[in-house]
Amino acid sequence: MLNPRLDLLTDYPFQRLSALLHGPAGDDAPLVMSIGEPQHRPPAFVAEILAREAAGWGKYPPMTGTPEFRAAVARWLTYRFALPIGELDMDKHIIPLAGTREGLFQIAQLVCGGAMGGKPPVVLLPNPFYQVYAGAALLAGAEPVFVPATKDTGFLPDFAGLPKDILDRAALAYLCTPANPQGAVASLALLKDTIELARRHDFVLAVDECYSEIYEGDLAPAGALQACAELGGDYANVVVFHSLSKRSSAPGLRSGFAAGDARLIAAFGRLRAYGGAAIPLPILAASAALWRDEDHVEVNRGLYRNKFTIAHEILGDSLGFYRPQGGFFLWLDVGDGEKAALALWQKAGIRVLPGAYLARPGADGVNPGQRYIRVALVHDLDTTRQGLTRLAEVLVTA
């Protein structure tokens, strides 16, 4: 028998997109701008390290990774988020993940236990959201509560505005900053307030920071561990998730980590011993080198900034265009996301994602993503310019 909770899952966004765009594309060569898969080349040293460490493919890797990997991550977190030297213990506060998707899914299995006051535990999610959050909540037996993250709220959820009975039942809250898909960045003050809220109501705050290294301006986005440090240094109730997929344009490595509350990281280790995928030794070696190098990250960030400049040149103020604070998506107001996505495919061969596929209807019955499309600016500059020009010809100048 199948787990009946599987029936609660809607089709994944890209399955829905395939069903929508089942017909032929337009005359132009198809261009996929729906998937957030970075197309920039990772540093050449990645391939060199993988070749040099090839003997490691013949060994079972430790679930906790290598000391070199954990040390590189601890140094990077300390430098990047201005943590006190030595505060982050690489053996207590960090655990590697085979990409952050599995960790973001497993955190719900870790913290969503039995009923709370005769009712299932609650998982708080921004709406729109990364779909893994909802799948994790439902399959953990929890009740997902979708919190609006719309233009009116600065594209970030207001967890503090929820009723006390919901907060008291909360076992977990997901916060993505910079946000996928809208690119909003949580301020340090908001992070501190949210951490204090989690501690008052004793739920875990899972902060998805996978886009933290792609940002506008000179000021890097604040992080949840940084907020913890300013609150006194205790990581209680907080786990952050990072990956090399976006930062280093290395999605195929499937390499990331979780860091934070030592009690939760230890429990993560026990859970993953039964159902986690250990990162192979050659990948751990390449990953450690990537976390130690910032030069390629700066180049990467500059390419994304150039692409947003191109987008502004082509779109101007149409379709509600704005330069997001972080990430590499455009979140364009097209009136009807499905209709626009279908038109772009049929007339210009462009695949984009309807915003409704990334959200759920609110209490008012309105899906906050319905008006939008998400456009991933992951290609090279010339391809990006061509794609956005074709998009504008359909949606702006038609």
Side-chain angles (χ1 to χ4, degrees), residues 2-358:
L2 294 175
N3 183 343
R5 298 195 69 82
L6 284 169
D7 292 336
L8 300 175
L9 301 181
T10 61
D11 284 342
Y12 206 68
F14 300 114
Q15 294 173 316
R16 297 177 68 184
L17 184 63
S18 294
L20 176 69
L21 307 183
H22 64 277
D27 294 335
D28 294 301
L31 179 58
V32 176
M33 302 183 79
S34 54
I35 302 175
E37 180 182 62
Q39 302 295 304
H40 303 166
R41 286 184 177 274
F45 65 72
V46 172
E48 295 167 2
I49 293 172
L50 292 175
R52 187 183 71 220
E53 301 291 332
W57 296 114
K59 299 179 180 179
Y60 284 121
M63 189 62 71
T64 56
T66 59
E68 292 77 15
F69 173 85
R70 295 194 305 278
V73 167
R75 282 196 297 270
W76 179 77
L77 285 170
T78 298
Y79 160 78
R80 169 63 177 80
F81 295 106
L83 305 180
I85 301 298
E87 180 180 88
L88 197 69
D89 188 317
M90 72 177 194
D91 295 320
K92 294 180 180 179
H93 296 129
I94 297 167
I95 189 166
L97 301 170
T100 53
R101 174 201 287 250
E102 69 164 19
L104 289 163
F105 183 87
Q106 289 176 335
I107 189 72
Q109 316 298 312
L110 192 68
V111 304
C112 294
M116 305 177 72
K119 297 180 180 180
V122 158
V123 173
L124 309 178
L125 303 85
N127 193 25
F129 58 95
Y130 179 41
Q131 299 298 290
V132 169
Y133 307 160
L138 290 167
L139 291 176
E143 175 188 339
V145 171
F146 301 99
V147 183
T150 64
K151 188 175 182 179
D152 291 340
T153 68
F155 292 124
L156 292 168
D158 177 17
F159 293 142
L162 292 169
K164 183 177 182 299
D165 64 313
I166 293 294
L167 291 170
D168 286 342
R169 285 172 53 207
L172 175 65
Y174 287 105
L175 178 64
C176 186
T177 175
N180 171 11
Q182 314 97 317
V185 169
S187 67
L188 188 59
L190 177 59
L191 288 170
K192 289 195 284 189
D193 288 346
T194 308
I195 290 167
E196 291 180 323
L197 182 75
R199 290 172 177 171
R200 283 198 304 273
H201 294 275
D202 196 24
F203 61 80
V204 171
L205 180 63
V207 188
D208 182 351
E209 298 180 351
C210 290
Y211 296 89
S212 70
E213 304 315 288
I214 304 169
Y215 55 85
E216 284 284 300
D218 297 327
L219 186 62
L225 297 188
Q226 180 181 357
C228 287
E230 293 208 3
L231 288 171
D234 188 352
Y235 302 135
N237 295 69
V238 176
V239 180
V240 300
F241 295 83
H242 284 268
S243 167
L244 292 171
S245 295
K246 279 71 178 179
R247 173 189 186 271
S248 299
S249 295
L253 284 183
R254 307 310 306 142
S255 180
F257 65 84
D261 187 324
R263 178 180 60 90
L264 292 170
I265 295 301
F268 235 135
R270 293 198 301 272
L271 174 65
R272 289 179 50 72
Y274 284 89
I279 303 177
L281 291 169
I283 293 179
L284 285 167
S287 299
L290 285 169
W291 288 115
R292 288 193 294 264
D293 182 73
E294 288 297 316
D295 290 344
H296 76 280
V297 183
E298 293 179 9
V299 171
N300 211 25
R301 189 158 50 238
L303 288 171
Y304 286 116
R305 289 175 176 173
N306 288 341
K307 283 184 274 192
F308 282 114
T309 297
I310 290 170
H312 192 200
E313 290 173 0
I314 294 171
L315 297 175
D317 296 327
S318 62
L319 308 179
F321 171 83
Y322 63 92
R323 291 184 74 121
Q325 295 172 283
F328 50 53
F329 296 115
L330 296 179
W331 187 238
L332 300 178
D333 187 344
V334 294
D336 185 326
E338 277 195 327
K339 182 179 179 181
L342 187 58
L344 285 170
W345 179 245
Q346 292 176 338
K347 297 179 181 180
I350 303 290
R351 293 179 78 93
V352 300
L353 193 65
Y357 296 0
L358 298 170

